[in-house]
Amino acid sequence: MLTSVLSAVLALVPIPAPATFQTWKPGVQAVTYDPAVVPVGATAQVAFSSTGQNLWVELEVTGLVPGHAYGAHMHVAGCGRDPKAAGPHYQHRPDPVSPSVDPAYANPANEIWLDFTADARGAATVRHEQQWMFADDRLPKSLVLHAETTRTGPGVAGMAGARVGCLDLPFGYGTGGGR
């Protein structure tokens, strides 16, 4: 039942227009924490789709630093003035230890990793399929851009450098930390 309810919610969530990264202020949907890596005016858009069993996530970005490799993950809380406001990574099966650096939990099958390298125009589109659905009572609230791609080794799994940008997600917009 929960999976069918969530599928219906995802079907009803309109795909928003791309959000434009700005310096933080209340109500901004996309925040740049480092304009040298996520320039003011860059854009990001996240889309979700589902069959009711699997979840597909697509991230499309423009205006970023050409050739730069970024980490990108779903996080449990919304964007805020402080990059830490977004909290830890969203995990399908939460790690009882936080921060999670155990590869048994911090991995692309249990989290949503959308790492990418911006092309010569500063754009990228990345898609990822998960073999699970979000829990109805536990949805991710933001997508955080990191300064580096995601590491996978013991003790560093899931780490991707500084949080350089944050995008509030459609079903989490307006509910984030720091607002």
Side-chain angles (χ1 to χ4, degrees):
M1 178 62 179
L2 290 178
T3 300
S4 62
V5 170
L6 183 60
S7 295
V9 168
L10 287 176
L12 295 175
V13 172
I15 297 174
T20 302
F21 285 95
Q22 304 173 44
T23 55
W24 188 89
K25 63 184 172 196
V28 168
Q29 185 181 6
V31 179
T32 179
Y33 298 117
D34 185 346
V37 184
V38 177
V40 170
T43 67
Q45 183 174 18
V46 177
F48 299 91
S49 61
S50 164
T51 62
Q53 301 297 319
N54 294 348
L55 174 68
W56 286 272
V57 182
E58 178 178 284
L59 170 64
E60 188 173 333
V61 295
T62 65
L64 295 177
V65 176
H68 187 92
Y70 294 83
H73 312 118
M74 298 289 160
H75 282 249
V76 300
C79 307
R81 179 186 308 268
D82 182 336
K84 294 178 183 175
H89 293 176
Y90 178 90
Q91 294 181 324
H92 177 62
R93 189 172 52 95
D95 187 340
V97 176
S98 184
S100 180
V101 292
D102 179 349
Y105 294 93
N107 64 65
N110 192 44
E111 299 182 351
I112 298 176
W113 294 2
L114 297 161
D115 292 10
F116 63 91
T117 299
D119 68 15
R121 297 172 296 124
T125 300
V126 61
R127 295 172 187 87
H128 188 76
E129 178 183 358
Q130 293 300 113
Q131 304 299 310
W132 44 265
M133 296 289 297
F134 294 133
D136 287 344
D137 61 343
R138 204 172 51 84
L139 298 171
K141 301 291 190 282
S142 63
L143 176 120
V144 172
L145 295 180
H146 293 267
E148 304 166 2
T149 57
T150 311
R151 297 181 193 103
T152 58
V156 296
M159 297 177 94
R163 296 176 183 200
V164 294
C166 186
L167 171 68
D168 279 318
L169 296 175
F171 37 78
Y173 186 57
T175 63
R179 294 208 182 243

